[in-house]
Amino acid sequence: MSLSELETLRRLRRHRADRAERTLREAKRHQQTLLRHIAQAEDTLVHTRQQQALQSAQLLSEHQGHVVSRDALKSWAAKEQSLSAETRREEGHLHTLHEQKAAQVIEVQQAQQQASQYLRQVEKLQELSTLLTQEPT
């Protein structure tokens, strides 16, 4: 392999390494954004649970000690179901975000491995080029 061919190959590998590093940076940015979304979703879920507990306690205090009609009981049950449905939606959203986080961790690891592999290839070619230039003809 000639020195010019080796240099062409090294430039190509360097280009691939640069692209892999950009991909890695983008994956890490996406991961950070996802972590912020998870933190927000966790805060929202905590708030939703607190609101559910508070509103459930209010509903109980409104009806405590009173004879409750069938319609009032149905209305109470519907309100409780509505409150718990909101909490379940928030829990589902948080679960989805955690699944995305797990996938993102794998993506970052793969991007890191790819970038490292390309950088090693560039270093090997650079070393080979150095050895060829030092070699007497």
Side-chain angles (χ1 to χ4, degrees), residues 18-37 104 107-108 111:
D18 291 342
R19 188 176 52 207
E21 288 174 332
R22 284 190 301 273
T23 300
L24 176 60
R25 283 192 301 274
E26 184 61 32
K28 285 182 176 182
R29 270 194 299 274
H30 186 257
Q31 186 179 42
Q32 290 303 314
T33 300
L34 192 56
L35 291 174
R36 284 192 298 275
H37 287 300
Q104 189 63 32
E107 184 179 329
V108 167

Side-chain angles (χ1 to χ4, degrees), residues 59-96:
L59 286 171
L60 179 62
S61 69
E62 286 176 16
H63 298 93
Q64 195 168 13
H66 302 325
V67 175
V68 180
S69 71
R70 185 174 191 212
D71 289 338
L73 192 58
K74 284 183 181 180
S75 173
W76 183 3
K79 289 177 185 175
E80 287 285 348
Q81 286 178 348
S82 173
L83 292 172
S84 66
E86 179 66 24
T87 302
R88 283 192 307 277
R89 274 192 299 276
E90 294 294 333
E91 288 170 342
H93 178 65
L94 184 59
H95 179 72
T96 300

